[in-house]
Amino acid sequence: MAFRKAVKGTAAIAGGCLLSFYGLTQLAEYRKKQARLSRVEAAEQVNMVYTDELPSRRAQLAALRGPQEFDVLVVGGGATGSGCALEAVTRNLKTALVERDDFSSGTSSRSTKLIHGGVRYLQKAIIKLDYEQYMMVKEALRERANLLAIAPHLSAALPIMLPVYKWWQLPYYWAGIKIYDLVAGTQGLKSSYILSKKKALELFPMLKKDKLVGAIVYYDGQHNDARMNLAIALTAARYGAAIANYTEVVHLLKRADPQTGKERVYGAHCRDVITGQEFDVRAKCVINATGPFTDTLRKMDDQKNPNICQPSAGVHIVIPGYYSPDNMGLLDPATSDGRVIFFLPWEKMTIAGTTDTPTEITQHPIPVEEDINFILTEVRNYLSPDVEVRRGDVLAAWSGIRPLVTDPNSKDTQSICRSHIVNISDSGLVTIAGGKWTTYRSMAEQTLDDAVKAHGLTAGPSRTVGLMLEGAKDWTPTMYIRLVQDYGLEVEVAQHLASTYGGRAYEVAKMAHVTGKRWPIVGKRLVSEFPYIESEVQYAMKEYACTAIDVIARRTRLGFLNVQAAEEALPRIVELMGTKLNWSERRKKEELAAAKQFLYYEMGYKARAEQLTDSSEITLSPPEVERYMKRFHKFDKESKGFITTVDVQRVLESINVHIDANTLHEILSEVDLNKNGQVELNEFLQLMSAVKEGQVSDNRLAMLMKTAEESLDQNLDQREPVSVDRSGGGV
């Protein structure tokens, strides 16, 4: 009864707010829809230059070095830069794009993976009667619908639950979410709805029950951000843009304008980071779309330019998929420090974040323990007490730098711009900065509009609304069945290929190696617990992957999902790339070392290692110490005070478990804190103490020794061999 009264009260409170927005929203939507229909027709008239094989990176560099002058040179291969390149080339402008690192190597691959308008922004817009912020949300919701439509294989609608623990919050939040639906208008995904406590717990059983009143579910979009960024860049290449990763701008090219005598930018002097070769790229217009590094290029243009980027670090963590339902996210609208935390299923794992703290600009942001623990604490506040969220369950963690900006055109240059800014310098450098992932396309459209006007370029209208991205053509929700039937792939692998490559998945399947097994017929996995297969490494090189990091971080997402699994896959990835790219043994070692360093620092392995050190405190009780010493001495028969791979191998063979020497060495090295090639008793006790405290979970040596002890004690030498594959733990 109380629940029904609350719902009725909610409707009454929200009614006036909803009606006040209705007329304006529907009129605007009608006009936008009419314009959009004509633009989709125009999009179909764009000529695709490369329908089959894309030009190689070498061919792209040759085009950049050529004598032709481009209309537009975009600097930056993130979502915004790639969007600008696609916008330009589909307007019949000769387009080039250079990126210092890999496509999507920065902020664009380190997002919350949401395509959204921003519920929190709408709340602020209503409370403060801020029309600018309202329009920003409206634009984002419009772009959300477009992005879901043009890349359906990489994106989908996701229901997100907002749990309510106070009765008065139910009408308050429901009104806000309904306005969010209304602002989306005809571009809405699905209508939001209210759940009773019972139903909320059925859909999200991990949720904290105590004082739960009910919940509200609304819909936003979710995507594979790095693959989406790559799809935008590859689509630009298919329409004829010359794009090259690992190509940095050394300095801008300038010359005097014959009419005014003022210096004007007419291109950039670039360097191929891989070969060291330098060359000029001439262009009528240069667009600065470098995200957090916006000011670096602005100062190349003019050292006197003030800094406009105010970098903010956002940390995310990945924990096992069992912490959340397969298809339901969670929103914490008010954390202990006033921020918002999302808790979302992603790639069969669970992603949680983000933080928002000032930071220094760097190419290699590192997640810090303080932020990781903040997210874990907030997650624990919303989950049931019987669901123990352990620090050791963190499989990966990363930090992305959000490039908040101040508007140099504004009188108040200290005020942070809530949207994006487009600035054109005296020398003609066009800078696009700020904004959000979801609005990359509209940002690119505005940037090109301003660039065309400022530089007098001859260009067609924008054609990117409704323009399908790489892989979207020929994709259907059931295409994975054909991949299973036609190629003999595992169902999980086929589903993964379809949702990653779309219609291009058939090309990846054709390259897959025969397994030699009855089933699957083709598709050798890189690691057993993830659906990534070896042919994806080969296909990645067709997508301009140049390093092992490109493969584990952006062509596949293994490094973002589980750093231990990524490290396991690295030797095979380096071997496959080395064969194709003719790498020397020295280059292979360098690639392996660089990728491990990337995982250690940027993907959270360092934070994991700090959970268990040679100075870690032992918090075991005397009976626990006695029990674990007994376990240790079953392996240390000679009472040496330490165990080696030989000791472990001897015990395992006695219970019919066989592990190759290299794997066994890896297992022990995880616990060998002083790196002397052996695990001492004190190190083992430190490990078991960390496991007890939840700082380390699913450690292979701990599980192996426990299993061996049980087998020895019960004399079960004849039972089936125990699998020692890593069960998902942790960073």
Side-chain angles (χ1 to χ4, degrees):
M1 181 65 71
F3 184 79
R4 290 178 181 175
K5 286 182 178 179
V7 173
K8 290 179 180 178
T10 294
I13 293 171
C17 297
L18 296 176
L19 290 173
S20 65
F21 278 95
Y22 187 77
L24 176 64
T25 302
Q26 293 307 308
L27 178 61
E29 278 303 329
Y30 175 77
R31 291 176 176 172
K32 294 284 185 183
K33 187 174 182 180
Q34 296 307 307
R36 211 174 286 123
L37 288 172
S38 62
R39 289 160 77 179
V40 170
E41 290 176 5
E44 294 173 352
Q45 299 171 9
V46 182
N47 180 42
M48 184 176 283
V49 179
Y50 303 104
T51 55
D52 297 318
E53 192 89 2
L54 282 166
S56 65
R57 181 174 179 273
R58 180 179 297 180
Q60 296 282 33
L61 286 168
L64 291 171
R65 288 194 300 265
Q68 69 169 320
E69 181 182 42
F70 292 95
D71 293 316
V72 173
L73 167 62
V74 180
V75 182
T80 304
S82 299
C84 285
L86 181 58
E87 182 73 28
V89 75
T90 53
R91 289 191 183 194
N92 299 319
L93 294 170
K94 292 179 182 178
T95 304
L97 179 147
V98 293
E99 160 59 45
R100 175 175 60 180
D101 204 303
D102 185 27
F103 305 114
S104 197
S105 59
T107 307
S108 296
S109 63
R110 306 177 189 223
S111 72
T112 311
K113 323 303 177 193
L114 286 177
I115 310 171
H116 63 138
V119 172
R120 187 69 178 271
Y121 295 130
L122 182 61
Q123 180 190 37
K124 291 179 180 178
I126 294 170
I127 291 174
K128 297 181 180 180
L129 299 178
D130 189 332
Y131 184 72
E132 179 190 349
Q133 195 142 231
Y134 163 75
M135 290 307 295
M136 183 180 74
V137 174
K138 188 168 179 61
E139 176 190 47
L141 289 171
R142 185 171 65 247
E143 292 300 323
R144 178 189 69 177
N146 182 65
L147 192 50
L148 288 167
I150 64 177
H153 58 303
L154 291 170
S155 60
L158 176 71
I160 300 175
M161 181 183 292
L162 198 164
V164 180
Y165 288 89
K166 295 179 181 178
W167 280 106
W168 69 265
Q169 290 179 332
L170 197 64
Y172 175 76
Y173 285 136
W174 185 83
I177 293 297
K178 276 302 173 186
I179 294 173
Y180 191 64
D181 288 347
L182 189 60
V183 172
T186 58
Q187 301 300 310
L189 302 179
K190 295 181 182 179
S191 181
S192 58
Y193 54 91
I194 293 179
L195 293 173
S196 65
K197 175 180 179 178
K198 181 181 177 182
K199 191 64 178 177
L201 291 172
E202 284 178 10
L203 293 175
F204 209 120
M206 308 84 174
L207 208 56
K208 184 172 71 175
K209 304 173 186 177
D210 188 35
K211 296 182 180 179
L212 181 67
V213 172
I216 300 165
V217 175
Y218 73 99
Y219 287 81
D220 256 326
Q222 187 179 51
H223 68 155
N224 185 333
D225 53 3
R227 291 294 315 183
M228 185 72 81
N229 190 158
L230 185 64
I232 299 166
L234 295 180
T235 305
R238 289 204 178 275
Y239 282 104
I243 67 171
N245 52 354
Y246 295 100
T247 305
E248 68 177 345
V249 171
V250 179
H251 61 79
L252 296 173
L253 301 177
K254 288 188 174 184
R255 63 188 173 197
D257 187 307
Q259 295 180 340
T260 64
K262 292 183 178 180
E263 278 197 331
R264 302 284 291 177
V265 173
Y266 74 98
H269 183 70
C270 299
R271 183 174 76 91
D272 181 348
V273 174
I274 294 175
T275 66
Q277 185 177 9
E278 297 190 7
F279 53 92
D280 289 343
V281 180
R282 296 183 303 115
K284 296 171 185 174
C285 169
V286 176
I287 295 176
N288 173 14
T290 52
F293 304 97
T294 293
D295 291 320
T296 302
L297 208 66
R298 278 170 48 83
K299 289 186 182 295
M300 278 188 192
D301 179 34
D302 185 350
Q303 279 294 329
K304 296 179 182 178
N305 279 331
N307 288 339
I308 63 171
C309 185
Q310 306 290 324
S312 174
V315 170
H316 294 82
I317 64 171
V318 168
I319 54 181
Y322 54 70
Y323 278 113
S324 66
D326 290 339
N327 193 37
M328 179 70 76
L330 185 74
L331 168 64
D332 177 357
T335 62
S336 56
D337 66 351
R339 292 182 282 195
V340 169
I341 288 284
F342 285 99
F343 189 67
L344 311 167
W346 182 67
E347 299 288 317
K348 298 189 177 180
M349 294 294 177
T350 301
I351 182 174
T354 179
T355 58
D356 183 10
T357 52
T359 186
E360 296 295 321
I361 295 175
T362 172
Q363 273 187 271
H364 308 290
I366 299 172
V368 297
E369 189 64 22
E370 181 182 354
D371 286 337
I372 293 172
N373 283 323
F374 168 79
I375 296 171
L376 287 172
T377 299
E378 295 302 325
V379 167
R380 291 184 187 112
N381 289 339
Y382 271 86
L383 296 188
S384 172
D386 26 331
V387 178
E388 183 185 1
V389 184
R390 303 172 297 182
R391 173 60 182 84
D393 285 331
V394 178
L395 306 174
W398 67 86
S399 176
I401 299 178
R402 186 184 177 197
L404 304 173
V405 291
T406 56
D407 188 351
N409 302 318
S410 172
K411 292 180 181 179
D412 180 11
T413 57
Q414 300 302 311
S415 178
I416 297 290
C417 180
R418 286 163 296 188
S419 183
H420 62 273
I421 61 105
V422 178
N423 174 257
I424 301 176
S425 71
D426 292 340
S427 64
L429 177 67
V430 179
T431 294
I432 169 67
K436 54 194 295 187
W437 222 121
T438 306
T439 57
Y440 84 90
R441 193 213 62 82
S442 59
M443 290 164 60
E445 181 181 345
Q446 182 188 337
T447 303
L448 265 296
D449 285 343
D450 292 356
V452 166
K453 183 178 179 181
H455 290 271
L457 303 175
T458 303
S462 176
R463 298 186 175 101
T464 48
V465 170
L467 186 71
M468 304 302 276
L469 297 183
E470 175 81 353
K473 184 182 178 183
D474 299 327
W475 176 85
T476 67
T478 57
M479 70 168 287
Y480 74 92
I481 297 174
R482 276 195 57 197
L483 289 169
V484 174
Q485 294 174 338
D486 293 355
Y487 296 95
L489 290 162
E490 292 176 81
V491 172
E492 185 187 13
V493 170
Q495 290 172 331
H496 154 68
L497 294 183
S499 65
T500 302
Y501 304 94
R504 300 280 171 186
Y506 297 110
E507 297 176 35
V508 183
K510 288 175 184 176
M511 300 168 71
H513 301 132
V514 175
T515 64
K517 301 176 182 178
R518 182 184 63 80
W519 189 263
I521 298 171
V522 300
K524 292 183 179 179
R525 294 194 182 210
L526 289 167
V527 283
S528 60
E529 67 267 47
F530 287 92
Y532 301 112
I533 58 176
E534 291 184 357
S535 62
E536 291 184 76
V537 180
Q538 295 172 300
Y539 192 76
M541 289 177 275
K542 292 177 176 288
E543 296 179 321
Y544 305 122
C546 299
T547 71
I549 296 174
D550 297 344
V551 174
I552 61 172
R554 294 171 286 274
R555 301 312 182 280
T556 73
R557 305 311 307 275
L558 194 51
F560 279 78
L561 294 170
N562 190 316
V563 294
Q564 286 182 293
E567 186 178 40
E568 275 185 27
L570 275 175
R572 183 57 178 158
I573 290 171
V574 170
E575 182 183 346
L576 290 167
M577 295 186 76
T579 301
K580 178 69 175 178
L581 300 175
N582 297 315
W583 286 347
S584 65
E585 288 303 314
R586 179 180 176 182
R587 174 67 189 276
K588 289 179 183 178
K589 289 179 181 178
E590 290 173 348
E591 283 291 325
L592 199 58
K596 286 184 176 181
Q597 185 176 29
F598 167 78
L599 293 173
Y600 185 76
Y601 288 104
E602 296 184 53
M603 290 292 109
Y605 223 146
K606 180 177 184 292
R608 179 239 181 210
E610 291 171 350
Q611 298 304 304
L612 182 63
T613 67
D614 54 9
S615 61
S616 295
E617 184 180 356
I618 297 174
T619 59
L620 300 171
S621 66
E624 288 171 332
V625 170
E626 184 180 350
R627 183 168 80 249
Y628 293 132
M629 286 180 66
K630 179 183 176 183
R631 183 177 300 172
F632 185 84
H633 288 306
K634 288 185 183 295
F635 289 77
D636 180 20
K637 290 289 187 183
E638 293 85 12
S639 298
K640 306 183 298 295
F642 63 85
I643 57 175
T644 65
T645 54
V646 175
D647 297 317
V648 178
Q649 192 75 272
R650 183 183 63 245
V651 174
L652 294 181
E653 287 176 358
S654 72
I655 59 172
N656 269 343
V657 174
H658 304 284
I659 304 176
D660 68 83
N662 288 335
T663 302
L664 202 54
H665 177 74
E666 288 176 8
I667 291 173
L668 261 70
S669 68
E670 293 173 2
V671 188
D672 180 14
L673 304 178
N674 56 14
K675 303 303 176 187
N676 62 355
Q678 57 198 29
V679 174
E680 293 152 10
L681 174 60
N682 197 61
E683 290 174 324
F684 179 66
L685 294 177
Q686 287 173 316
L687 166 65
M688 299 316 298
S689 181
V691 170
K692 174 188 173 184
E693 296 296 325
Q695 295 169 314
V696 173
S697 65
D698 297 325
N699 178 269
R700 290 187 285 180
L701 181 63
M703 297 180 74
L704 190 67
M705 292 178 71
K706 179 183 178 183
T707 303
E709 181 186 44
E710 291 172 351
S711 296
L712 290 169
D713 287 347
Q714 297 175 24
N715 294 318
L716 295 178
D717 293 350
Q718 302 304 313
R719 76 176 187 177
E720 290 293 316
V722 178
S723 170
V724 292
D725 287 342
R726 186 190 57 260
S727 62
V731 170

